[in-house]
């Protein structure tokens, strides 16, 4: 409840900030319009004023960006592996901010004279009359401050989240490469999907069952990690599990959604425990998108072990879900996995099914 209230308060604050920015922009443009209507060459004054206002806003926005560039927290924000965040922009921003502040403070005494010179230089663009001189200076100052506030606000609100998402996605990609090198193809693909979701490149399975926390083993993961963390923990313990393939199949057949997903997670972690009919059932008749996603992950781990006939069954099931209107949605995590499975099915050399020996061959073997 507290988190919901904080989110609501943050959303209201951002709405108020953007509303204030809109009011400031509208006030400046309205003043420019009223000033232009009183000039002999109204359109020229309006056009010139818009150019001056736009240039001032861009300059102010650039300054606001320099002042608003976030800093990397020492140690805690460094991703895994050999990657470290590039802080050149932060250093340049810090250096330019200090220089601009120093120069600005030394020129405070001549600020009025400088503004008058600026207004005189820009007055011809606003009609060339005497009244255009102070208006031009005020127009530059107004939109310079507006651009600075807008640039600072956007940088402070948007850039930290963008950088954080990019760093977290890179962490996941690097962890996925590490899993791939260790032969954990299922875990690697799961991490890659999560990385692409972090960057907004893939949609997720939004209908994650909330009841999983009560149906999965309570010791499998901390409650704060959510369903994904629980499934990952069950997957990691599959090879150490004392369960047999028949027991995992019976676990899936139990019927409850938590048991079904737990069985799929065990199949992901150890393909020897996998049961293709159960995987196909979860792909074609899933209880949720979350379950279907983990069924596709389990199928991903079976690709190199399937006989040709079973591979065809899997191909038909996945392809059918991709074309059904209420099947796998395009651009989702499930569609990425489904397309990867289909592409692998086209190139994988499948295990040939053993044919029963002919009676004559059996007799010849016995005689020999």
């Amino acid at each position: 409840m507290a988190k919901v209230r904080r989110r609501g308060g943050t959303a209201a604050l951002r709405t108020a900030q953007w509303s204030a920015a809109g009011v400031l922009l509208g006030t400046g443009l309205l003043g420019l319009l009223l000033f232009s209507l009183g000039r002999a060459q109204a359109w020229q004054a309006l056009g010139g004023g818009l150019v001056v206002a736009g240039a001032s806003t861009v300059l102010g926005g650039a300054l606001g960006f320099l002042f608003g560039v976030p800093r990397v927290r020492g140690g805690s924000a460094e991703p895994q592996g050999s990657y470290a965040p590039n802080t050149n922009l932060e250093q340049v921003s810090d250096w330019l901010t200090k220089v601009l502040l120093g120069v600005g403070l030394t020129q405070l005494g001549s600020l009025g004279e400088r503004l008058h010179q600026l207004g005189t230089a820009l007055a011809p663009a606003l009609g060339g009359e005497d009244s255009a001189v102070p208006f031009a200076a005020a127009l530059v100052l107004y939109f310079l401050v507006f651009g600075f506030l807008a640039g600072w606000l956007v940088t402070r609100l948007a850039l930290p989240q963008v950088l954080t998402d990019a760093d977290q996605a890179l962490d996941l990609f690097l962890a996925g490469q590490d899993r791939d090198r260790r032969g954990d193809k299922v875990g690697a693909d799961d991490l890659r999907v999560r990385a692409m979701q972090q960057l907004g490149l893939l949609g997720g399975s939004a209908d994650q069952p909330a009841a999983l926390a009560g149906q999965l083993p309570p010791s499998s993961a901390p409650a704060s990690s959510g369903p994904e963390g629980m499934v990952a923990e069950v997957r990691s313990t599959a090879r150490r599990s004392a369960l047999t393939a028949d027991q995992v199949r019976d676990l899936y057949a139990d019927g409850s959604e938590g048991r079904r997903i737990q069985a799929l997670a065990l199949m992901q972690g150890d393909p020897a425990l996998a049961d293709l009919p159960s995987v196909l059932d979860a792909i074609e008749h899933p209880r949720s998108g979350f379950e279907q996603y983990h069924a596709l992950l389990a199928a991903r781990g079976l690709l190199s072990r399937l006989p040709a006939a079973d591979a065809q069954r899997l191909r038909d099931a996945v392809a059918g879900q991709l074309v059904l209107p209420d099947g796998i949605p395009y651009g989702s995590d499930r569609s990425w996995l489904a397309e990867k499975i289909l592409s692998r099915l086209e190139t994988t050399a499948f295990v040939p099914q053993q044919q029963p020996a002919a009676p004559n061959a059996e007799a010849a073997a016995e005689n020999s």
Side-chain angles (χ1 to χ4, degrees):
M1 182 65 69
K3 290 184 177 179
V4 173
R5 290 178 179 175
R6 283 197 295 268
R7 289 176 183 174
T10 302
L13 178 60
R14 291 189 177 184
T15 301
Q17 290 170 336
W18 288 116
S19 300
V23 170
L24 287 175
L25 177 61
T27 301
L29 293 178
L30 179 61
L32 174 60
L33 177 63
L34 295 176
F35 175 83
S36 301
L37 292 177
R39 305 301 97 191
Q41 298 178 336
W43 289 110
Q44 177 185 348
L46 180 60
L50 288 175
V51 171
V52 171
S56 301
T57 303
V58 170
L59 178 59
L63 293 174
F65 172 79
L66 290 176
F67 277 78
V69 170
R71 294 179 177 274
V72 176
R73 293 179 180 176
S76 61
E78 292 188 2
Q80 301 171 354
S82 59
Y83 167 78
N86 189 327
T87 59
N88 287 345
L89 179 60
E90 176 188 329
Q91 295 170 6
V92 170
S93 169
D94 186 55
W95 178 74
L96 286 177
T97 299
K98 293 176 180 177
V99 169
L100 291 172
L101 282 175
V103 173
L105 290 175
T106 60
Q107 299 297 319
L108 280 179
S110 59
L111 180 60
E113 181 182 352
R114 300 291 184 184
L115 286 175
H116 185 269
Q117 292 175 352
L118 179 63
T120 302
L122 295 177
L126 297 173
E129 301 177 5
D130 293 339
S131 59
V133 175
F135 184 82
L139 188 68
V140 170
L141 190 60
Y142 185 93
F143 280 96
L144 187 67
V145 173
F146 168 77
F148 176 85
L149 293 176
W152 182 86
L153 181 64
V154 171
T155 304
R156 291 290 294 170
L157 292 180
L159 189 59
Q161 187 61 48
V162 171
L163 295 177
T164 299
D165 290 345
D167 285 343
Q168 291 176 352
L170 186 54
D171 282 350
L172 292 170
F173 272 121
L174 291 173
Q177 289 179 347
D178 184 58
R179 293 278 184 93
D180 216 347
R181 286 192 294 268
R182 293 187 311 211
D184 184 5
K185 305 297 183 183
V186 173
D189 281 348
D190 189 24
L191 289 171
R192 292 187 184 110
V193 167
R194 289 166 57 190
M196 287 185 282
Q197 289 174 341
Q198 191 74 30
L199 295 174
L201 301 178
L202 287 178
S205 299
D207 50 348
Q208 292 187 2
L212 280 182
Q215 296 182 24
L216 288 176
S219 60
S220 62
S224 61
S225 62
E228 282 291 358
M230 293 181 178
V231 173
E233 185 67 19
V234 172
R235 183 197 305 143
S236 67
T237 61
R239 294 188 184 274
R240 305 191 302 270
S241 173
L243 295 175
T244 65
D246 291 338
Q247 289 173 323
V248 173
R249 182 175 61 249
D250 293 341
L251 183 66
Y252 178 83
D254 175 82
S256 64
E257 190 168 6
R259 297 291 185 179
R260 286 162 62 102
I261 293 177
Q262 184 183 356
L264 292 173
L266 290 168
M267 296 179 195
Q268 295 169 19
D270 187 359
L273 300 176
D275 175 60
L276 182 63
S278 299
V279 173
L280 293 177
D281 178 70
I283 291 175
E284 295 180 308
H285 309 289
R287 303 284 180 85
S288 65
F290 186 77
E291 179 180 294
Q292 189 178 50
Y293 170 77
H294 286 284
L296 291 168
L297 274 180
R300 168 71 178 88
L302 290 175
L303 294 183
S304 61
R305 305 166 60 94
L306 290 177
D310 289 342
Q312 184 62 46
R313 292 172 61 192
L314 177 59
R315 181 188 294 111
D316 293 343
V318 174
Q321 288 297 305
L322 281 173
V323 299
L324 284 177
D326 56 346
I328 297 175
Y330 177 76
S332 66
D333 50 359
R334 287 172 279 161
S335 69
W336 185 87
L337 273 177
E339 290 167 4
K340 186 165 187 176
I341 288 172
L342 292 178
S343 66
R344 288 294 304 274
L345 286 172
E346 298 294 334
T347 59
T348 303
F350 300 106
V351 179
Q353 287 181 310
Q354 295 183 356
Q355 300 295 332
N360 293 337
E362 291 179 356
E366 292 176 357
N367 294 332
S368 60

